[in-house]
Amino acid sequence: MTYAGIVLAGGAARRLSGVDKPALPVGGKPLLARALAALAEADPVIVVGPERPGFGDVLWTRESSPGTGPVAALAAGLVLVRSEIVVVLAGDLAGVRSSTVDRLVGSLGAASGAVLVDDAGERQWLLGAWRVEALRGALPETVENASLRRTLGGLEIVEVPGEPGESDDIDTPEDLDRWSR
């Protein structure tokens, strides 16, 4: 099955003193490189955020008003998608793998989306495979500072159980310490 990939990589990282989270090395590899490796079969791969050198053959784009949240970033990325399916990943996922993406795409079926569910039973909205038409139809008129959960929560979603650590992201210094060991 062919699909595009979107990585949302423009957050402010307030809990990490504004550091460029996608560039943080975890296991000797920047977090953004981990997301891109998980999307190795996607075509194209679109990164929404400031352009960073050294990340190969990706398309870069930005929200019309940078820093206005994941729904605005998703809308910006969707402009460049021509396929029927897209995998959407956060740019700070430490545990995502190509097998994660394969399971999400394989679980989509006729639903609007397939999202990974973490160990606590929470849907990971930025770790999913989606039907592009459903995403475009769900976008609110004003995408800036819109709630991702509210935007996508009404769609028909398949929940895909995550494997240990698969949905881990880096939000705090403690998260970074845990993954750096």
Side-chain angles (χ1 to χ4, degrees), residues 7-8 11 13 15-16 19 21-22 24-26 30-32 34-35 70 89-97 100 116 118-119 122-127 148-149 163-180:
V7 180
L8 304 187
R15 290 179 282 180
L16 281 166
V19 69
K21 277 202 302 184
L24 283 175
V26 171
L31 287 169
L32 181 55
R34 289 173 170 272
L89 301 178
D92 65 348
L93 294 168
V96 69
R97 303 180 286 278
T100 310
L116 204 73
D118 67 16
D119 297 338
E122 296 294 322
R123 289 178 172 175
Q124 298 302 301
W125 296 105
L126 294 179
L127 192 43
L148 191 64
R149 180 177 296 141
E163 295 175 1
E166 198 171 33
S167 65
D168 288 1
D169 58 1
I170 304 296
D171 286 331
T172 65
E174 294 77 24
D175 295 338
L176 184 58
D177 287 344
R178 186 174 61 253
W179 271 90
S180 296

Side-chain angles (χ1 to χ4, degrees), residues 3-116:
Y3 58 90
I6 297 176
V7 180
L8 304 187
R14 287 177 192 87
R15 290 179 282 180
L16 281 166
S17 303
V19 69
D20 183 10
K21 277 202 302 184
L24 283 175
V26 171
K29 191 177 190 178
L31 287 169
L32 181 55
R34 289 173 170 272
L36 297 177
L39 291 170
E41 299 300 316
D43 183 33
V45 175
I46 300 146
V47 180
V48 183
E51 192 165 339
R52 299 163 178 96
F55 287 102
D57 190 22
V58 301
L59 300 174
W60 296 91
T61 192
R62 291 300 308 257
E63 315 91 320
S64 54
S65 298
T68 53
V71 176
L74 177 60
L78 284 172
V79 169
L80 300 174
V81 174
R82 302 288 172 252
S83 62
E84 292 180 19
I85 296 170
V86 63
V87 174
V88 179
L89 301 178
D92 65 348
L93 294 168
V96 69
R97 303 180 286 278
S98 59
S99 61
T100 310
V101 171
D102 292 345
R103 284 196 345 274
L104 290 166
V105 172
S107 298
L108 188 56
S112 298
V115 297
L116 204 73

